[in-house]
Amino acid sequence: MKIYLIANIITCIGALAGFIYGAVRFFRPRTAVYAQMITFAVGCMAFGRLYQMIRILTVGDFANRFHLGVLGVIGSLMFFFSANFGLMDGIADDGSKEFRKYRIIPLSVSVLTGVCYVLFFLFAGQPILVKIASLFISLLIVLASYYNLKHLIFPDVEYGVIRSLKAYNLLALIFELLCLMEMITVSREQAVGTLIIGILMGLILPAVIISVERGIRKWSI
């Protein structure tokens, strides 16, 4: 459990630092709602990991159990998905046949996520609540990663909106894949793998906020 605790502490520190920085920079009048949603995504991870830290210290029960800390991942992925779905995607994609390949290629992540869920959760000896929670998280990973990968490879549009956020979309995509990998390592009780993922998340989450800030700044350049 000590390794799991260290992994959660590292992720929590990185996420909390990113959330505080984002709140200072973006929670003010006439600031892009897009950046605020990304900040909330990072904040969800921070508070979710804080709960998991407390649970490990008090209960000691972490792996292969459904608990409220899972809601931190769910909330984070929902904000990442919501930020790109709708208006932001509509700016780039007008639905024409010209951009069809950019809608198809991101489906590769959906296939990967689905295969991983089937192999490691659906037919594995996991409690039913873990299977349900993992399914819901997998679906959110599919939705969020689809738009992050789509906008990462999509041609630029007027004012450089898509190009300026490519770094963000890459980091967000990596984070979402790390969420998938973390579900697998935790379910298999692979503490070292979970620690490595925790370190990477702790580095990526504050970088996500910085990349969004730099990207939005370029919109007016």
Side-chain angles (χ1 to χ4, degrees):
M1 283 298 144
K2 187 177 293 185
I3 296 180
Y4 288 121
L5 177 61
I6 295 172
N8 277 274
I9 290 174
I10 294 172
T11 303
C12 184
I13 291 174
L16 191 58
F19 175 70
I20 292 173
Y21 181 79
V24 171
R25 300 294 294 175
F26 303 135
F27 292 175
R28 57 180 65 178
R30 295 189 295 276
T31 302
V33 175
Y34 185 86
Q36 295 174 353
M37 295 181 74
I38 302 303
T39 302
F40 280 127
V42 175
C44 285
M45 281 299 295
F47 291 106
R49 294 307 151 130
L50 182 61
Y51 173 88
Q52 290 186 181
M53 289 163 52
I54 296 173
R55 182 182 177 88
I56 293 172
L57 289 171
T58 56
V59 181
D61 187 4
F62 175 73
N64 296 326
R65 295 289 186 277
F66 175 80
H67 50 79
L68 292 178
V70 175
L71 297 179
V73 180
I74 291 174
S76 181
L77 292 170
M78 289 183 70
F79 275 114
F80 277 122
F81 162 66
S82 300
N84 276 344
F85 177 76
L87 178 60
M88 182 59 70
D89 188 61
I91 293 174
D93 189 0
D94 60 4
S96 64
K97 293 182 179 180
E98 176 187 358
F99 300 128
R100 180 179 295 173
K101 66 178 179 180
Y102 300 109
R103 302 185 201 108
I104 296 176
I105 294 175
L107 294 175
S108 59
V109 181
S110 306
V111 174
L112 171 65
T113 305
V115 170
C116 288
Y117 177 77
V118 170
L119 292 177
F120 295 103
F121 295 98
L122 185 60
F123 296 125
Q126 303 291 340
I128 186 64
L129 283 178
V130 172
K131 289 184 178 181
I132 294 173
S134 301
L135 175 61
F136 192 52
I137 292 174
S138 296
L139 291 174
L140 289 174
I141 290 173
V142 167
L143 293 172
S145 62
Y146 175 85
Y147 286 101
N148 285 128
L149 181 54
K150 179 182 178 181
H151 293 178
L152 181 63
I153 64 176
F154 211 87
D156 197 21
V157 296
E158 194 175 2
Y159 303 114
V161 173
I162 299 300
R163 184 185 69 251
S164 64
L165 291 173
K166 285 188 180 295
Y168 154 72
N169 281 299
L170 176 60
L171 290 171
L173 178 61
I174 294 173
F175 166 75
E176 289 145 10
L177 294 177
L178 286 174
C179 288
L180 176 62
M181 295 171 61
E182 185 185 46
M183 284 200 307
I184 296 172
T185 57
V186 170
S187 69
R188 295 300 180 93
E189 298 186 14
Q190 296 176 353
V192 175
T194 304
L195 176 60
I196 294 172
I197 292 170
I199 293 171
L200 293 174
M201 283 185 172
L203 295 173
I204 286 175
L205 287 169
V208 162
I209 298 297
I210 294 173
S211 65
V212 169
E213 181 186 30
R214 291 178 177 175
I216 291 177
R217 192 183 301 153
K218 293 178 181 178
W219 291 358
S220 59
I221 296 178

